[in-house]
Amino acid sequence: MTERADGRGRTAIDADGANVANTANAPSRPGSAPAGGRTADGGAWLRRNRTILIPYGLIALLLVAAAIRTPGFVTPGNLRGQLVLASYLGVIAGGQTLVILTGGIDLSLAWNLNLSAILLTQIAADFSPAVAAAAALGSAALVGLVNGLGVAYLRIPSLVMTLGMNAVLAGLTLVYTNGSPQGDAPAFVRSLAVGRIGGVLPWALLFWLAFGAALIFALRRTTYGRRLYAVGNNREAAYLSGVPVRGVLVATYALCGLCAGLGGLLLTGYSAQSYLGMGDPFVLQAIAAVVIGGTSILGGAGGYGGTIAGAITVVLLQNVLQIVGIRPAGQQILYGLIVLLMLFVYGRGARVRE
Amino acid sequence: MSLAAAPPPPAARDRAVRRRPFLVRNARLLLVWGLLLVLLAVYVREAPQFRPREQRTIANSGLTLAVAGLGQTLVVLTGGIDLSVGPMVSLTNSLASSVTDQDSPRSSMWVAGALALLVGAGGGLINGLLVAYGRLQPIIVTLATASVWGGIALYLRPEPGGFIPPAFADLLSGTAFAQQALSLPFGLSWERPLPRAVFFLAALVALWLLFRRTRLATRIYAVGSSEGAAYMSGVHVARAKLWAYTLAGLAAGAAGLVTSAQTSTGNALSGNAATLNSIAAVVLGGASLAGGAGSYLGTLAGAYVIAVIPSVLFFYGVSTFYQQLFQGSILLLAVGLGALGVFRIRNRLERL
Amino acid sequence: MPPLLAATDIAKRFGGVVALDGAAVACEAGEIHALLGENGAGKSTMVKVLCGVQPPDAGEVLYDGRPIAFRNPAAAAAVGIVPVFQELSLIPDLSVAQNLFMGREPRSRIGLIDGRRMRRDAAALLAELGFAGINPAATVRDLPLAERQLVEIAKAVGRKPRVLILDEATSALTARQVEHVFAVVRRLRDAGTAVVFISHRMDEVRDLCDRATVFRDGTHVGTVAVDGASHEQIVRMMIGRALREVFPPRPVPVETASEALLDVRELGWGEALRGVSLTVGRGEIVGLAGLDGQGQGDLLFALFGVYAGVTGQVLLRRRPVRLGDPRAAMAAGLALVPEDRKTQGLILPLSVSNNVTLATLPRIARRGVVSPGAERAATLTMRDRLAIKTAGPEQPVRFLSGGNQQKVSIAKWLLAEPSVFLLHDPTRGIDVGAKQEIYALMRALTAQGHGVLFFSTDLSEIVGLCDRALVMYEGAVVRELAGDDLTDANLVSAAVGVTETAVGGGQRAAATA
């Protein structure tokens, strides 16, 4: 059978793996910095950092293309607007990044997001905005928790668990709203999504910055992050090292749910109200952002830094496609093709042998 | 080489490993068929009448899913999954509704049919190539191609509409023997119209039973059961997967035609529910999502369970808003029940 | 007579690890040819090269005097080279008959598989080989391991091979079943089949084989006629040095009666473990011996809480350990270095530092936040203590050599400061130098007062390293050996001798111990 660890498909790095093994006899430099094999070879450096270089390169490319096509595109105002849009997707894709790092996937975020958005506006009509926001986020996290329990304890494949959950949530939402959601986004949610500090710095960007910093810190510097990568790479070894595998999985799906809830809040703030189907486009967009950002769909490799770039790429792409006059149908086709392309660019599973 | 001079067996008292009894081997299958029969019984009892019209409605209700489910079963047997089934149904439905021609309904109907099947198989082939030879994850590949198929469907048919020849609709969703009685052996005869869907279902079952006896079927089971062992046994793993995905695409294309006939119109979103429901049908039917075990006979029953439930709920006055809720719940319940075996596994490494 | 199948000057590397270099083997028609060597000598890699699973990096394989290169096992099987592997190539969800005829199913005129004929032919084949009691319609998943091995052999023989390769193909069989398989193999040989035979059991090789080729460290050492070579001669070829030297000296007073760190009472787990009782004292290395798969690995997993439903009692420092939870076992002071470092012991893509600290994260973290300083200090301490050769703490462990990988796997548990180490074949597949370092480390640990429960498939390690050894058979401890009684011969006779009596029933075997 193919070994999971090999399924990461870093064949390009493997090439200089032998190199590294040879230098292993040399006394190691204390304070050595980056991971992996270090060679002076520039090509190797490019290959190693491609998960950062490719998405940011794509962003640059898109900006240039947009600037040529529509000279007025690259203005501070417009770019700021794009970044705000990217922040919504970025928050949603943050949870998806975590789940994909475990080797799973969350397809329920479409209606999880939608339900929390609807809870927000409907509850805010009768109660204080804080209560509404808490209920919205709580329900989103709870949904994630249930996903996590199913995946971790019943070993239901995440795809099926979350696909089923998505249908359940869609049904619940229909029943709850009777087909037409009511109410408006509370003022503070509106300011969070579209407001600006001093008319310049969008709150949403600030929020994304804090969110991103927290997530990257959690992944790199906390025991949770360490365990997440361990579980994503090799559950068996993680379990035998005393990692609470199920706990990590449940926490991760719950966090993903919470992120979907936050996304729901932001999107509600953006459009001032909630509506049915508002989450649907974000499933594929979030996955696209994660994949473009270089996180391995097999789990265990990648991080949120790439996803940030991926989210910006997706939003810019959408905008550029609109400018060029491609219909939503065409955009949908392109997203699919880009995800496939990225899978090939970042590497694939190992051949079945041995 | 002669092995005829075999000495007596080492130990006649060697405990013989028996094949597990029929009821145990087919427990899931019997369960889902039992459930379906109960639901049908409830339907017949609650329905104000059960005339040919109702019979046709029931027989037609699960046909799209039964056809699409055949493909999903094959893919799940390899240990994969096809999330592009629904959009492919939508795509071929949109396609069929676009190429038919009011002026020459009969000839264009055949063209539409052939084209839909071809596009379905082609899409499945692309999935298969990406999964088997591109060595990409089935989930993400079919999620991406689902987006592509859905996009193309929207391009073809931005608004619902188009033309489906009535003859075509009747061929796939009408009734047979409406005019003359069918004489049967033993002096019996059948005088009532029979839904055509019944014939298609019979054909699907026959097709499956024949397929089950091909080498391809054995290979598909082998790959899903243990890819490494299959490789070591000389099975061409990639080719078996390629066939499974291609046939799944073909089945989705056929399901698109059934949808076209039943709705008599084209809609770029018409089939989207088929993704979830085909997976639910396969899971209800008792196939293992890990691959290697399962039968289309289970999926078939699963498909009709999913299709009949809304009708039964309707008689009890449950709002259609609950439909999706129930379908999702059924899927989760089915996988949840199937997963309870996890707690019998005593080596915890095997249930991580 | 020219050999039917000959490989010369074969080289094969995996990443940085040399598996074969200048390896050769030649097998004639009508001969049973043993392939011998220690674990990691390259026998299995050679088999994979011969039957098309792995292409060699260099060298030539001649079949019938013609050079051949197979793209896959199917191509090798098509020309008559059929392997039987220890890792089973059976499809668990298919029936015995379907497995026996995989790829060559009898078909009717319209091309459909003739299931009835296939089952009949399968029954005939099984009967012909004398493997009674295997129902062709049974699902392979439901068969016990021994029966599966028999099916595996039947599957290969049924293909009427010209070259049959048996790689540890009899490891799970009882003595009677082995005898029976041997009868089949001899008949094949007499009919002109070339047989390549790999086994850890030297008596089997003596019993069955005509000639033997010995590998050491991936190189061809020599080929001898089995009848003409003494046991010692072959062993010397295999290990290339006198046996004892490699092991560190035992501390002179072996205080086996000292305080028992680990006290296991009547441990049971289904059929796999039956009433295992043992103690591991402070400063003691206790070996687990016996034939492969007699429950030694299961015992370690059961102790470490990996198995659910374990019965009996485990005391560590006189305190009961809650069974069925690795975290409880860890907290009580147990550490398990598992068998397969690549899939169980380590997380290969992660860094040395991540791996070393994985089991002790709370110690280098405060309120869930990892302190890079503490992490680095812990890693460097372990690197120096175990002399792990690495480019740095951030190097992914998959780039390390096998021996250094194993050291990282051990370092992870050293950091946890357990009372008792459970070691599952820690030296498998690593080079001699690293082996000696691990032996020395084990002694150093016991000198500091730790206890070690040690399972090895390598008898010489049990003899050379352990203070006491427990021989297991069918999930029970059947013999305890210590002091001067702890010899190769006694271990083998205990493991094998028990086999003879045990065919009548495991209970009686246990009583003879």
Side-chain angles (χ1 to χ4, degrees):
Chain A
M1 286 300 295
T2 52
E3 191 181 307
R4 277 206 80 216
D6 280 343
R8 230 139 305 290
R10 294 183 190 134
T11 32
I13 301 180
D14 275 350
D16 49 28
N19 222 335
V20 177
N22 289 340
T23 60
N25 291 333
S28 68
R29 283 166 284 163
S32 55
R38 261 167 281 110
T39 49
D41 183 1
W45 183 85
L46 283 176
R47 260 178 276 138
R48 207 164 41 247
N49 292 301
R50 63 192 162 151
T51 55
I52 303 294
L53 292 173
I54 289 173
Y56 286 99
L58 276 176
I59 292 172
L61 204 71
L62 283 169
L63 285 177
V64 170
I68 291 169
R69 171 93 192 189
T70 319
F73 186 85
V74 186
T75 62
N78 189 32
L79 289 185
R80 185 175 60 197
Q82 300 291 308
L83 281 177
V84 166
L85 286 179
S87 73
Y88 309 150
L89 176 58
V91 168
I92 297 165
Q96 191 69 278
T97 306
L98 296 179
V99 167
I100 288 180
L101 278 174
T102 69
I105 200 159
D106 185 353
L107 298 182
S108 71
L109 60 80
W111 281 91
N112 195 7
L113 181 164
N114 211 335
L115 179 59
S116 72
I118 284 164
L119 281 174
L120 177 75
T121 57
Q122 300 221 148
I123 294 177
D126 301 326
F127 297 90
S128 79
V131 171
L137 294 179
S139 107
L142 184 70
V143 167
L145 185 81
V146 175
N147 281 335
L149 291 173
V151 170
Y153 284 86
L154 291 177
R155 278 186 69 206
I156 299 172
S158 61
L159 168 89
V160 175
M161 182 72 211
T162 57
L163 200 61
M165 181 59 85
N166 197 45
V168 168
L169 292 174
L172 277 178
T173 312
L174 270 177
V175 172
Y176 174 61
T177 59
N178 240 328
S180 53
Q182 307 293 318
D184 300 306
F188 88 92
V189 175
R190 271 196 69 68
S191 353
L192 179 66
V194 295
R196 296 185 202 150
I197 307 167
V200 184
L201 180 65
W203 275 107
L205 267 191
L206 205 65
F207 177 74
W208 192 24
L209 205 67
F211 175 87
L215 205 54
I216 291 175
F217 182 83
L219 285 174
R220 293 211 181 147
R221 283 284 305 277
T222 64
T223 51
Y224 164 72
R226 294 297 161 83
R227 288 171 170 158
L228 180 66
Y229 281 101
V231 169
N233 271 304
N234 184 340
R235 280 191 197 188
E236 198 168 336
Y239 180 74
L240 289 173
S241 300
V243 171
V245 174
R246 290 171 175 175
V248 169
L249 286 175
V250 172
T252 302
Y253 281 90
L255 277 176
C256 182
L258 187 65
C259 289
L262 283 171
L265 253 59
L266 289 169
L267 289 171
T268 314
Y270 176 72
S271 51
Q273 56 198 354
S274 59
Y275 53 94
L276 294 176
M278 67 194 284
D280 284 336
F282 286 93
V283 180
L284 192 72
Q285 286 187 19
I287 291 172
V290 174
V291 170
I292 292 171
T295 294
S296 164
I297 201 75
L298 300 165
Y304 190 59
T307 305
I308 292 175
I312 298 173
T313 310
V314 170
V315 168
L316 274 182
L317 182 72
Q318 194 170 13
N319 210 289
V320 168
L321 291 176
Q322 271 163 8
I323 292 173
V324 185
I326 292 180
R327 279 191 278 162
Q331 294 176 25
Q332 201 180 328
I333 295 172
L334 270 168
Y335 283 140
L337 294 178
I338 286 169
V339 168
L340 287 174
L341 186 73
M342 283 297 155
L343 292 174
F344 274 102
V345 169
Y346 286 129
R348 301 167 286 157
R351 210 177 284 277
V352 185
R353 214 149 208 188
E354 83 186 69
Chain B
M1 182 176 77
S2 163
L3 299 169
R13 58 184 167 68
D14 266 4
R15 60 188 183 285
V17 172
R18 290 179 183 284
R19 190 174 189 192
R20 288 188 296 161
F22 179 84
L23 283 178
V24 177
R25 269 185 291 136
N26 297 297
R28 286 294 293 265
L29 208 55
L30 295 171
L31 205 70
V32 66
W33 276 101
L35 179 62
L36 177 60
L37 290 179
V38 168
L39 281 171
L40 286 175
V42 171
Y43 180 90
V44 171
R45 205 175 67 95
E46 295 296 320
Q49 52 191 1
F50 195 63
R51 297 258 187 80
R53 213 171 76 88
E54 285 75 25
Q55 291 165 12
R56 200 189 72 177
T57 305
I58 277 292
N60 279 344
S61 68
L63 190 59
T64 305
L65 207 48
V67 174
L70 178 57
Q72 190 69 269
T73 304
L74 293 176
V75 171
V76 168
L77 280 176
T78 67
I81 201 145
D82 188 351
L83 297 179
S84 70
V85 164
M88 180 53 84
V89 171
S90 306
L91 170 58
T92 48
N93 171 224
S94 304
L95 184 69
S97 74
S98 303
V99 297
T100 43
D101 186 351
Q102 307 253 21
D103 299 329
S104 54
R106 211 153 256 289
S107 59
S108 69
M109 162 179 130
W110 294 110
V111 172
L115 210 57
L117 294 179
L118 204 67
V119 166
L125 183 73
I126 291 172
N127 279 336
L129 286 171
L130 289 167
V131 169
Y133 291 92
R135 301 198 304 279
L136 298 173
Q137 289 288 97
I139 292 178
I140 197 86
V141 164
T142 55
L143 196 64
T145 56
S147 179
V148 175
W149 309 158
I152 298 174
L154 273 173
Y155 248 117
L156 288 172
R157 187 142 295 294
E159 305 291 332
F163 170 68
I164 299 294
F168 185 71
D170 185 58
L171 179 70
L172 289 185
S173 64
T175 48
F177 312 122
Q179 271 79 43
Q180 79 267 35
L182 175 73
S183 58
L184 295 169
F186 308 113
L188 295 170
S189 68
W190 183 275
E191 295 172 29
R192 293 156 62 187
L194 198 61
R196 286 198 200 271
V198 171
F199 294 103
F200 293 114
L201 291 176
L204 282 171
V205 170
L207 210 61
W208 169 256
L209 293 177
L210 287 177
F211 175 76
R212 195 68 192 75
R213 289 179 55 199
T214 61
R215 287 192 176 177
L216 177 63
T218 310
R219 274 154 192 60
I220 285 176
Y221 276 91
V223 166
S225 181
S226 169
E227 205 169 308
Y231 176 75
M232 295 306 302
S233 304
V235 172
H236 200 305
V237 173
R239 203 177 295 161
K241 285 188 183 175
L242 188 66
W243 270 108
Y245 283 90
T246 307
L247 290 173
L250 184 67
L257 289 177
V258 174
T259 301
S260 305
Q262 291 185 353
T263 60
S264 282
T265 182
N267 182 345
L269 302 173
S270 60
N272 284 10
T275 298
L276 173 82
N277 286 340
S278 66
I279 294 172
V282 168
V283 170
L284 269 175
S288 158
L289 284 165
S295 164
Y296 175 63
L297 300 180
T299 305
L300 188 63
Y304 273 88
V305 166
I306 292 165
V308 172
I309 282 183
S311 314
V312 170
L313 289 177
F314 174 77
F315 291 126
Y316 286 99
V318 178
S319 150
T320 49
F321 283 158
Y322 283 88
Q323 188 165 326
Q324 226 176 350
L325 179 60
F326 275 102
Q327 285 168 350
S329 307
I330 290 166
L331 174 59
L332 288 185
L333 209 66
V335 285
L337 284 177
L340 288 179
V342 165
F343 294 107
R344 287 200 303 271
I345 298 174
R346 295 183 313 150
N347 181 347
R348 292 207 162 88
L349 291 180
E350 288 169 14
R351 64 183 212 206
L352 284 177
Chain C
M1 188 160 75
L4 182 59
L5 182 67
T8 47
D9 230 2
I10 303 291
K12 181 76 194 170
R13 306 170 128 255
F14 295 104
V17 182
V18 177
L20 292 176
D21 187 15
V25 65
C27 187
E28 290 168 8
E31 161 186 59
I32 303 176
H33 196 109
L35 207 50
L36 299 173
E38 285 188 296
N39 289 314
K43 294 167 301 193
S44 288
T45 309
M46 179 54 106
V47 170
K48 285 179 178 158
V49 167
L50 289 180
C51 65
V53 180
Q54 298 279 358
D57 297 337
E60 197 175 39
V61 181
L62 294 177
Y63 182 55
D64 254 348
R66 277 191 298 277
I68 44 162
F70 301 119
R71 276 193 313 124
N72 53 40
V79 299
I81 302 177
V82 180
V84 180
F85 286 111
Q86 192 178 14
E87 316 103 72
L88 300 161
S89 76
L90 299 180
I91 312 293
D93 288 304
L94 295 185
S95 73
V96 169
Q98 280 174 313
N99 270 287
L100 288 177
F101 288 92
M102 176 64 71
R104 53 187 195 98
E105 295 90 347
R107 287 192 284 192
S108 62
R109 260 174 305 151
I110 52 167
L112 296 178
I113 294 173
D114 186 344
R116 194 173 303 155
R117 196 170 111 211
M118 189 164 77
R119 275 191 296 279
R120 209 176 50 220
D121 290 356
L125 175 65
L126 290 168
E128 204 176 336
L129 297 176
F131 299 162
I134 299 175
N135 184 339
T139 305
V140 164
R141 193 185 287 286
D142 298 334
L143 298 182
L145 188 60
E147 267 77 8
R148 274 187 246 175
Q149 247 178 10
L150 292 177
V151 173
E152 186 88 48
I153 292 166
K155 180 179 162 188
V157 173
R159 261 148 234 262
K160 309 216 182 318
R162 292 185 66 206
V163 178
L164 176 68
I165 303 173
L166 299 167
D167 184 359
E168 297 282 352
T170 54
S171 59
L173 303 185
T174 65
R176 297 275 300 264
Q177 287 169 324
V178 168
E179 255 324 303
H180 197 70
V181 169
F182 282 5
V184 171
V185 171
R186 285 194 190 98
R187 287 206 306 280
L188 285 172
R189 172 197 50 198
D190 297 342
T193 308
V195 180
V196 177
F197 183 78
I198 296 177
S199 171
H200 271 118
R201 304 183 204 178
M202 191 59 87
D203 52 335
E204 288 186 1
V205 171
R206 289 221 159 270
D207 188 18
L208 185 68
C209 299
D210 305 309
R211 291 194 302 159
T213 291
V214 180
F215 277 17
R216 187 170 68 233
D217 299 333
T219 306
H220 177 258
V221 177
T223 300
V224 295
V226 171
D227 285 341
S230 71
H231 185 75
E232 289 69 29
Q233 201 181 340
I234 291 176
V235 168
R236 209 178 312 119
M237 286 171 77
M238 281 166 61
I239 62 177
R241 67 199 116 79
L243 202 60
R244 288 272 165 180
E245 295 169 354
V246 296
F247 298 105
R250 258 175 272 238
V252 185
V254 183
E255 287 282 339
T256 48
S258 71
E259 179 196 350
L261 285 178
L262 177 68
D263 187 354
V264 179
R265 294 172 188 171
E266 288 294 321
L267 208 65
W269 189 63
E271 295 280 298
L273 292 175
R274 309 190 213 193
V276 174
S277 296
L278 60 88
T279 61
V280 177
R282 183 179 290 282
E284 194 180 29
I285 300 178
V286 175
L288 291 174
L291 299 176
D292 261 7
Q294 301 301 319
Q296 300 97 330
D298 291 323
L299 173 60
L300 298 185
F301 267 152
L303 287 173
F304 196 63
V306 177
Y307 289 165
V310 175
T311 57
Q313 204 183 12
V314 176
L315 302 172
L316 201 72
R317 297 167 176 276
R318 303 212 182 91
R319 284 222 201 85
V321 179
R322 186 158 60 85
L323 295 169
D325 180 4
R327 287 165 70 77
M330 281 168 64
L334 283 171
L336 172 69
V337 176
E339 175 183 20
D340 188 342
R341 63 178 172 268
K342 289 189 171 163
T343 62
Q344 299 180 325
L346 294 170
I347 295 169
L348 292 178
L350 295 187
S351 69
V352 172
S353 144
N354 283 171
N355 272 286
V356 167
T357 57
L358 187 59
T360 45
L361 279 172
R363 292 194 199 183
I364 57 159
R366 187 174 296 174
R367 293 208 189 97
V369 177
V370 173
S371 149
E375 180 180 28
R376 191 174 169 73
T379 309
L380 292 182
T381 310
M382 281 304 139
R383 186 196 65 181
D384 296 342
R385 185 164 166 199
L386 296 183
I388 300 169
K389 286 174 194 149
T390 160
E394 298 303 320
Q395 192 181 25
V397 288
R398 68 212 205 98
F399 293 136
L400 302 186
S401 71
N404 281 302
Q405 284 183 351
Q406 191 63 286
K407 286 185 197 169
V408 172
S409 179
I410 295 173
K412 171 170 69 186
W413 291 110
L414 268 183
L415 213 50
E417 293 167 0
S419 308
V420 174
F421 282 86
L422 311 172
L423 305 181
H424 190 144
D425 225 354
T427 61
R428 182 193 288 190
I430 65 179
D431 62 82
V432 179
K435 277 187 187 180
Q436 298 205 15
E437 288 180 71
I438 286 173
Y439 300 151
L441 175 70
M442 286 167 68
R443 268 297 156 212
L445 286 174
T446 52
Q448 289 161 15
H450 297 277
V452 175
L453 186 59
F454 171 59
F455 169 46
S456 173
T457 48
D458 183 346
L459 273 191
S460 68
E461 286 187 345
I462 302 280
V463 174
L465 207 55
C466 296
D467 300 308
R468 269 191 301 140
L470 306 169
V471 181
M472 291 187 71
Y473 184 81
E474 285 196 348
V477 173
V478 291
R479 184 98 191 260
E480 178 169 338
L481 295 165
D484 293 338
D485 289 339
L486 184 48
T487 62
D488 261 339
N490 281 348
L491 281 172
V492 170
S493 65
V496 182
V498 161
T499 314
E500 310 285 77
T501 54
V503 173
Q507 292 311 310
R508 195 152 52 80
T512 62

